[in-house]
């Protein structure tokens, strides 16, 4: 049963709201149809055509909404959205962005969470002279109630542009565009009234992120939300006070399907797994074979792929060939299984992950900057994963004793592993090597032997050598 | 998304196809492991704003930031400290610009869209893999990027017609061979697709197992092996 780490007050929109219903619904569809942005934006108008919902259409609604609000109901300029649209059009014309290079702004006591953004055409677009981004730490798996969302939106309308991203790539709620003077009031309101924290930015722990986990997914082997919540709270200092060589990301996937892509984009990737046997419901297997259940939950329903063929579609595609049908029953040689999830994904009503679940931990993923992209290296095959996750925190802290000490400025963990070697990581973690850590053994013999590896060490006497070998 | 709208509505594809986009190679999100990835990329070295560089940037950090050692210290005619850039060494990563605002890279003609294909995150059937560069540069044609849309559609249509059920784009390309991928998608294989960065040799084929496509006959003809 989930227990919050601190007392949680219930947010009620009716008490916290800034705008009345009339103010929220202050324009008609007719007015929207006739709306003209103050800048000429032909290329953006073009993007409204076509079936996919356009950000331009949303931005225009917001621009009209702000035009009709009273001036004293907004703390930054009313035409911020229109200036943003105008600048985007100009960027299209010029083929170059008109946002300046970064800029350091922040809130008192925090080293991250706000990203400075300035227009490089402030005379032409004064209302986006400042256009800072505020990152709000999303709740685990991004579940909200509408009281919360409406309250955040009202706050952002009042003190920002009213425009948001749901969500940024790291998972945060992204509030787009405000002026420096508004940052402290926003920060106060978020933390003191909404009990809501900022996310990470800069050289610190970034906002941890997890998949939807046990809340909604039958594949989840671990409670990703509990782990994400606990580590987010436990490592508050690391989230808000940049003390690292560069960014550090935790991401939590509930199973090897990897829906939050932890293996591709987190320095420390947690992936749920199991160490016992796949659970089989033989009746449901028969039902899949008989066509009663659609394979892969109907994901192929749009085309006729023919009758479901378990031999071809499941057993034949198994990467380890560890399955077979025997007398109408499905058999799995679990010792050979690498838990790729294909059979489970294809027949979720018949097959489920085992019950002895835990987490595999991998280290070192990053995007291409600088030496090319890296995926995380399988390092810890299995670890129990139960609240309060003390065993996992010990691993985190070993890494954080090594990397901040040895890492160069702007060197990600994966680059440090590359520079000092995987063996060094194993020393740091105090674990032995295992063949699972490599795709294949090395093919070069250039081993960096150390003196202590070799009998007798490296100290030798040339005279002794010459006593046996003439020059 | 307008161009691919029907694929969002129907479930006709052999497996899921993730199309992702990043406007620079910082690659927010797992763009580098997507079935199809569109990446904004520079192609002109930074312009040095020597007028302010020494005031706004830490020159040693800027020099250290370059992965190919293309940046070295320099002086302007009037004695200001600045840097100079060896253009032929630049790989256009923009890491120096992250460190120093006096080295902007963006340029209307230079900036382009690079198309990558065949990446995945999931461990299902095959391990996760990176997306591979299949089109080095397409123009930044605002607002609808017709060349990019056309190329993505070509890839998806060839994949949809040819891949097996459950097969991701990358698994399909590996099964048929990348030479067949280029043939079936009708994408030219150009010299820019030959890796010339570190560990480039790892991507070269050191085997006689290959399939004959028109690109192979072109080589044979060029060397005088066939008429």
């Amino acid at each position: 049963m989930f227990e919050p780490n601190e007392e949680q007050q219930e947010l009620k929109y009716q008490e916290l709201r800034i705008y009345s219903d009339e103010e929220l619904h202050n324009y008609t569809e007719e007015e929207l149809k006739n709306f003209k942005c103050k800048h000429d934006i032909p290329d953006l108008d073009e993007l409204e055509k076509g079936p996919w919902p356009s950000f331009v259409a949303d931005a225009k609604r917001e621009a009209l909404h702000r035009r009709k609000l009273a001036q004293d109901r907004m703390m930054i300029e009313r035409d911020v959205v229109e200036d943003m649209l105008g600048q985007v059009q100009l960027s299209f014309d010029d083929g170059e962005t008109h946002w300046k290079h970064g800029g350091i702004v922040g809130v008192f006591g925090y080293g991250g969470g706000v990203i400075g953004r300035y227009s490089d055409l402030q005379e032409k677009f004064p209302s986006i002279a400042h256009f800072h981004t505020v990152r709000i730490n999303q709740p685990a798996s991004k579940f909200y109630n509408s009281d919360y969302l409406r309250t955040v939106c009202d706050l952002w309308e009042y003190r920002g542009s009213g425009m948001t991203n749901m969500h940024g790539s790291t998972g945060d709620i992204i509030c787009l565009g405000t002026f420096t003077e508004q940052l402290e009031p926003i920060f106060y309101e978020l933390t003191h009234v909404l009990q809501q924290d900022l996310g990470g930015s800069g050289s610190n722990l970034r906002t941890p992120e997890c998949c939807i986990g046990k809340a909604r997914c039958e594949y989840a082997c671990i409670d990703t939300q509990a782990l994400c919540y606990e580590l987010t709270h436990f490592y508050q200092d690391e989230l808000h006070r940049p003390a690292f060589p560069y960014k550090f990301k935790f991401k939590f996937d509930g199973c090897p399907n990897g829906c939050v892509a932890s293996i591709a984009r987190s320095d420390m990737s947690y992936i749920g797994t199991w160490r016992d046997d796949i659970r089989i419901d033989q009746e449901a297997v028969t039902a899949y074979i008989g066509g009663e259940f659609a394979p892969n939950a109907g994901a192929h329903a749009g085309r006729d792929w023919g009758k479901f063929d378990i031999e071809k579609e499941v057993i034949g595609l198994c990467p380890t060939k560890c399955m077979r049908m025997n007398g109408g029953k499905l058999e799995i040689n679990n010792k050979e299984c690498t838990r790729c999830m294909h059979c489970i994904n294809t027949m979720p009503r018949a097959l489920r992950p085992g019950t002895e679940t835990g987490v595999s931990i991998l280290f070192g993923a990053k995007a291409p900057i600088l030496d090319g992209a890296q995926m995380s290296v399988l390092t810890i095959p299995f670890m129990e994963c139960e609240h309060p996750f003390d065993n996992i925190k010990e691993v985190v802290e070993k890494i954080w004793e090594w990397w901040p000490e040895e890492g160069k400025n702007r060197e990600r963990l994966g680059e440090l592993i590359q520079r000092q070697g995987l063996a060094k990581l194993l020393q740091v973690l105090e674990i032995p090597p295992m063949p699972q850590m490599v795709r294949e053994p090395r093919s070069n013999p250039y081993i960096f032997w150390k003196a202590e590896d070799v009998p007798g060490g490296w100290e030798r006497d040339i005279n002794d050598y010459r006593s046996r070998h003439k020059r | 998304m307008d161009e691919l709208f029907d694929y969002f509505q129907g479930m006709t594809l052999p497996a899921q196809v993730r199309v992702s986009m990043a406007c620079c190679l910082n690659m927010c999100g797992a763009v580098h492991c997507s079935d199809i990835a569109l990446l904004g990329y520079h192609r002109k070295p930074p312009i040095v704003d020597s007028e302010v560089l020494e005031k706004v940037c830490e020159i040693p950090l800027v020099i250290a930031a370059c992965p190919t050692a293309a940046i070295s210290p320099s002086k302007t005619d009037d004695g200001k400290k600045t840097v100079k850039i060896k253009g032929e060494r630049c790989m256009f990563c923009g890491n120096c610009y992250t460190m120093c605002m006096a080295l902007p890279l963006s340029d209307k003609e230079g900036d382009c869209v690079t198309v990558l294909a065949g990446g995945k995150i999931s461990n299902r059937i095959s391990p996760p893999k990176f997306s591979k560069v299949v089109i080095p540069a397409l123009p930044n044609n605002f607002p609808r990027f017709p060349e990019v849309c056309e190329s993505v559609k070509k890839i998806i249509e060839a994949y949809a017609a040819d891949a097996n059920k459950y097969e991701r784009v990358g698994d399909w390309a590996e099964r048929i061979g990348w030479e067949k991928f280029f043939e079936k998608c009708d994408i030219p294989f150009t010299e820019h697709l030959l890796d010339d960065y570190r560990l480039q040799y790892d991507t070269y084929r050191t085997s006689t197992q290959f399939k004959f496509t028109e690109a192979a006959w072109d080589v044979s003809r060029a060397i005088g092996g066939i008429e």
Side-chain angles (χ1 to χ4, degrees):
Chain A
M1 185 62 193
F2 173 73
E3 285 292 333
N5 284 355
E6 58 195 76
E7 205 184 316
Q8 209 73 33
Q9 75 203 33
E10 197 187 336
L11 300 180
K12 291 209 176 72
Y13 180 63
Q14 290 312 333
E15 292 164 12
L16 295 164
R17 68 186 299 170
I18 296 170
Y19 299 107
S20 66
D21 283 343
E22 292 69 38
E23 285 174 311
L24 292 178
H25 306 285
N26 66 356
Y27 62 87
T28 65
E29 292 301 307
E30 191 61 29
E31 287 173 295
L32 182 66
K33 226 189 301 171
N34 297 322
F35 173 79
K36 280 269 172 301
C37 178
K38 66 187 268 197
H39 305 287
D40 205 20
I41 51 169
D43 288 340
L44 297 181
D45 293 334
E46 164 62 31
L47 290 179
E48 280 191 279
K49 299 170 192 162
W52 193 273
S54 167
F55 76 98
V56 179
D58 276 358
K60 284 183 177 175
R61 279 182 180 272
E62 177 60 12
L64 174 60
H65 175 56
R66 289 180 74 91
R67 254 194 214 176
K68 299 199 71 183
L69 280 176
Q71 184 63 61
D72 64 349
R73 302 292 283 146
M74 294 166 289
M75 300 304 286
I76 69 170
E77 291 301 322
R78 67 162 71 247
D79 57 358
V80 50
V81 182
E82 296 185 57
D83 272 3
M84 185 278 295
L85 290 171
Q87 182 171 304
V88 173
Q89 174 65 50
L90 193 60
S91 305
F92 282 12
D93 295 339
D94 291 347
E96 292 168 349
T97 179
H98 282 288
W99 297 115
K100 277 194 196 182
H101 182 280
I104 295 177
V105 287
V107 291
F108 191 69
Y110 273 28
V114 182
I115 294 92
R117 191 68 70 217
Y118 300 90
S119 170
D120 70 8
L121 294 168
Q122 305 199 352
E123 280 98 46
K124 194 169 168 63
F125 304 111
S127 300
I128 55 167
H130 301 194
F131 200 73
H132 307 323
T133 298
V134 177
R135 289 183 179 164
I136 302 180
N137 190 332
Q138 81 285 3
S141 303
K142 312 181 180 91
F143 283 102
Y144 309 98
N145 67 16
S146 66
D147 280 284
Y148 173 80
L149 284 178
R150 285 185 288 170
T151 305
V152 169
C153 288
D154 269 21
L155 173 64
W156 195 244
E157 187 78 83
Y158 188 59
R159 296 198 176 274
S161 73
M163 287 185 288
T164 60
N165 269 172
M166 290 284 184
H167 298 78
S169 291
T170 304
D172 304 282
I173 302 172
I174 305 288
C175 293
L176 294 164
T178 194
F179 275 65
T180 304
E181 312 77 85
Q182 296 303 319
L183 294 173
E184 287 298 341
I186 290 165
F187 182 49
Y188 184 90
E189 196 73 15
L190 285 172
T191 48
H192 289 75
V193 182
L194 302 185
Q195 265 189 313
Q196 171 63 63
D197 206 359
L198 297 189
S201 70
S203 294
N204 57 13
L205 174 64
R206 297 302 185 82
T207 316
E209 189 186 20
C210 64
C211 70
I212 202 149
K214 289 188 172 175
R216 294 279 293 167
C217 181
E218 68 269 43
Y219 303 145
C221 299
I222 53 166
D223 188 345
T224 56
Q225 294 168 311
L227 179 56
C228 186
Y229 177 82
E230 176 61 25
L231 295 192
T232 303
H233 276 253
F234 196 76
Y235 293 118
Q236 280 292 294
D237 273 358
E238 286 73 13
L239 236 165
H240 299 307
R241 291 170 194 90
F244 289 158
Y246 204 9
K247 63 185 89 167
F248 192 95
K249 297 183 179 182
F250 289 146
K251 294 191 193 293
F252 313 94
D253 278 309
C255 81
N257 281 323
C259 291
V260 292
S262 67
I263 201 167
R265 56 194 192 123
S266 57
D267 301 85
M268 191 168 175
S269 323
Y270 302 78
I271 303 181
T273 193
W274 65 95
R275 61 171 171 174
D276 53 344
D277 295 348
I278 293 175
R279 287 173 284 170
I280 308 179
D281 175 345
Q282 296 290 356
E283 273 178 37
V285 173
T286 309
Y288 276 105
I289 296 170
E292 250 173 86
F293 301 142
N296 217 118
H300 296 86
R303 199 203 289 190
D304 182 12
W305 292 90
K307 190 175 179 301
F308 175 66
D309 179 350
I310 192 170
E311 286 291 346
K312 187 168 146 223
E313 296 183 33
V314 181
I315 296 171
L317 291 179
C318 169
T320 64
K321 304 286 177 278
C322 69
M323 317 176 83
R324 63 172 191 159
M325 289 302 289
N326 187 7
K329 292 219 158 31
L330 179 66
E331 287 179 357
I332 301 177
N333 181 0
N334 282 279
K335 286 204 163 49
E336 295 302 315
C337 172
T338 50
R339 301 170 309 286
C340 87
M341 297 299 291
H342 174 65
C343 60
I344 298 175
N345 289 340
T346 309
M347 306 194 298
R349 296 178 71 148
L351 301 175
R352 284 189 292 165
T355 53
E356 284 178 42
T357 56
V359 70
S360 298
I361 301 181
L362 301 82
F363 293 97
K366 55 181 274 293
I369 292 271
L370 200 57
D371 263 357
Q374 289 175 201
M375 279 193 246
S376 283
V377 179
L378 175 68
T379 309
I380 300 176
F382 186 90
M383 213 167 179
E384 283 168 2
C385 187
E386 300 296 332
H387 187 82
F389 312 106
D390 288 339
N391 55 346
I392 286 169
K393 290 172 191 165
E394 279 174 31
V395 177
V396 171
E397 278 152 39
K398 282 178 177 172
I399 294 293
W400 285 353
E401 270 169 35
W402 174 50
W403 170 63
E405 193 65 38
E406 298 279 326
K408 295 190 215 167
N409 181 36
R410 300 186 70 235
E411 183 174 53
R412 292 283 289 270
L413 176 65
E415 291 164 315
L416 178 61
I417 295 171
Q418 175 105 279
R419 181 160 63 84
Q420 295 199 346
L422 187 58
K424 178 70 193 178
L425 174 69
L426 307 192
Q427 278 171 27
V428 166
L429 295 173
E430 300 169 281
I431 55 173
M434 62 173 185
Q436 287 87 339
M437 288 165 181
V438 296
R439 200 173 291 136
E440 59 186 25
R442 64 194 296 165
S443 49
N444 67 68
Y446 304 137
I447 299 164
F448 286 96
W449 295 105
K450 292 188 193 69
E452 58 266 32
D453 294 331
V454 195
W458 284 354
E459 287 303 317
R460 290 188 290 163
D461 180 9
I462 187 65
N463 294 325
D464 175 51
Y465 181 83
R466 286 296 164 216
S467 72
R468 296 188 303 279
H469 306 277
K470 286 210 169 102
R471 266 185 202 108
Chain B
M1 290 194 285
D2 282 345
E3 294 287 336
L4 300 175
F5 196 72
D6 290 344
Y7 289 115
F8 286 99
Q9 291 185 311
M11 291 194 281
T12 57
L13 293 169
Q16 67 265 47
V17 175
R18 289 185 202 283
V19 182
S20 56
M21 202 217 64
C23 57
C24 79
L25 89 169
N26 279 312
M27 285 206 191
C28 296
V31 175
H32 55 300
C33 295
S34 306
D35 296 275
I36 295 186
L38 310 174
L39 175 65
Y41 214 91
H42 301 297
R43 288 186 300 174
K44 295 188 185 182
I47 322 171
V48 183
D49 189 354
S50 296
E51 176 120 14
V52 296
L53 193 136
E54 68 171 351
K55 281 191 229 118
V56 295
C57 308
E58 293 256 13
I59 290 177
L61 283 181
V62 178
I63 291 169
C66 180
T68 62
I71 307 179
S72 51
S74 180
K75 274 216 160 100
T76 62
D77 292 341
D78 54 348
K80 280 194 180 121
K81 280 187 198 157
T82 183
V83 298
K84 58 179 189 295
I85 295 172
K86 269 202 182 115
E88 70 275 15
R89 278 200 170 185
C90 181
M91 64 181 208
F92 317 99
C93 69
N95 201 45
C96 56
Y97 182 59
T98 305
M99 299 304 290
C100 173
M101 59 81 78
L103 294 169
L105 289 98
S106 65
D107 184 89
K108 185 169 189 167
E109 284 94 17
D111 297 350
C112 67
V113 180
T114 299
V115 181
L116 300 92
K120 70 196 270 279
I121 292 298
S122 166
N123 287 273
R124 185 175 186 173
I125 304 176
S126 65
K129 42 189 155 229
F130 290 125
S131 316
K132 281 87 183 166
V133 178
V134 295
I135 304 178
L138 291 171
N140 250 343
N141 271 339
F142 301 100
R144 284 200 171 269
F145 297 82
E147 298 86 353
V148 176
C149 292
E150 194 202 337
S151 304
V152 170
K153 274 179 89 166
K154 273 204 307 203
I155 296 170
I156 293 184
E157 278 162 14
Y159 158 75
D162 196 56
N164 292 334
K165 194 174 174 186
Y166 307 107
E167 204 167 43
R168 298 285 292 265
V169 171
D171 294 329
W172 167 64
E174 284 173 15
R175 175 172 61 81
I176 62 174
W178 281 98
E179 59 266 53
K180 282 283 177 187
F181 171 91
F182 284 94
E183 184 183 66
K184 284 178 193 281
C185 296
D186 187 27
I187 296 173
F189 189 87
T190 65
E191 70 170 73
H192 294 113
L193 297 178
L194 296 172
D195 196 348
D196 52 4
Y197 193 53
R198 290 170 196 162
L199 306 177
Q200 47 179 271
Y201 217 95
D202 290 356
T203 64
Y204 300 162
R205 196 174 306 186
T206 51
S207 153
T208 53
Q209 293 190 12
F210 65 90
K211 294 179 182 175
F212 289 108
T213 63
E214 203 43 48
W217 298 130
D218 285 345
V219 173
S220 296
R221 262 191 292 274
I223 199 71
I226 56 172
E227 284 293 306

